[in-house]
Amino acid sequence: MIYDISPPISPSLAVWPGDTPPSREVLLDLARGDSVTLSTLRATVHLGSHVDAPSHYGRDGRTIEAQPVERYIGPCEVMRVPVARGATVTPGLLPRPPREPRLLLSTGTYPDTERFNEDFAALSAELIDQLHTAGVRLIGVDTPSVDLFSSKELPAHGRCLAHDMAILEGLVLDAVPEGRYELIALPLKLVGFDASPVRAVLRSLR
Ligand SMILES: [Zn+2]
């Protein structure tokens, strides 16, 4: 069984305020008698479900093509955390210690991928530190950022940079039961870029 945990990419997909929403320019169209249909995509790379590159939040951080691909494929755990809107997930809110090197947290605080709500939950610096100690190497969230909307210091991004922990944002996890899966969420090899959209899926273990 495969769970698709990516939102649809369309002009109605919400992006961070001020960022570039997706648009499609049709260059050729079978319906107009052209020999093929051919189109151009223009959008932010922080589009829907996406992985951040360290260069997004660290001056000398690796750009997305240099991220090790093994981070984004392999054993993973999904946990639901009872966090309020606008609040921060602290270690005490985790229902159990993580058992896999990739952890996806379902907060339910960003319920509509077509409507950007600024009061989504974030992750605390202490949580990132503790997860790293527990062996987590990729953290995923169902929100547009691992830090609060208003944060300028970006403490969670900062701890991920310090630990070289990969960040996967913008997931859709409400239909996914808690448990262990195989994650597949490979970034495109976009040279010099600060992120890449991904088609993120979870495969049930059998
Ligand atoms: Zn991002």
Side-chain angles (χ1 to χ4, degrees):
M1 164 126 190
I2 299 244
Y3 288 94
D4 184 353
I5 54 172
S6 295
I9 294 173
S10 82
S12 32
L13 175 64
V15 297
W16 197 274
D19 207 348
T20 312
S23 61
R24 178 172 181 244
E25 182 193 354
V26 178
L27 304 181
L28 296 174
D29 194 342
L30 285 169
R32 289 192 316 229
D34 296 323
S35 58
V36 289
T37 295
L38 182 72
S39 56
T40 300
L41 168 68
R42 176 176 154 80
T44 173
V45 284
H46 299 259
L47 185 64
S49 58
H50 68 277
V51 299
D52 279 353
S55 67
H56 178 51
Y57 43 89
R59 265 179 179 282
D60 300 313
R62 288 192 300 274
T63 46
I64 198 65
E65 83 286 0
Q67 279 290 82
V69 283
E70 352 24 293
R71 298 289 167 84
Y72 306 104
I73 180 163
C76 166
E77 183 168 9
V78 174
M79 281 187 204
R80 247 169 253 302
V81 283
V83 62
R85 289 233 191 162
T88 298
V89 180
T90 51
L93 283 182
L94 280 195
R96 68 195 73 85
R99 300 169 291 184
E100 301 292 353
R102 299 166 194 81
L103 177 64
L104 308 186
L105 296 178
S106 174
T107 71
T109 60
Y110 188 80
D112 184 354
T113 58
E114 297 193 352
R115 203 182 63 82
F116 194 96
N117 63 279
E118 299 181 356
D119 59 349
F120 54 82
L123 310 183
S124 75
E126 298 69 37
L127 178 71
I128 301 294
D129 288 345
Q130 191 161 313
L131 293 177
H132 180 258
T133 303
V136 173
R137 297 295 178 261
L138 173 141
I139 183 73
V141 288
D142 62 348
T143 61
S145 176
V146 293
D147 280 295
L148 290 173
F149 177 76
S150 57
S151 176
K152 291 280 172 281
E153 253 79 87
L154 306 178
H157 280 91
R159 298 316 294 158
C160 287
L161 184 66
H163 297 308
D164 197 16
M165 193 185 293
I167 300 176
L168 174 54
E169 295 167 332
L171 300 172
V172 178
L173 294 171
D174 31 275
V176 182
E178 288 190 299
R180 291 146 109 171
Y181 299 90
E182 179 191 15
L183 170 72
I184 304 165
L186 295 171
L188 299 176
K189 216 166 182 173
L190 295 167
V191 176
F193 276 83
D194 44 283
S196 172
V198 297
R199 179 66 175 266
V201 299
L202 292 171
R203 187 145 59 178
S204 297
L205 304 176
R206 283 191 54 80

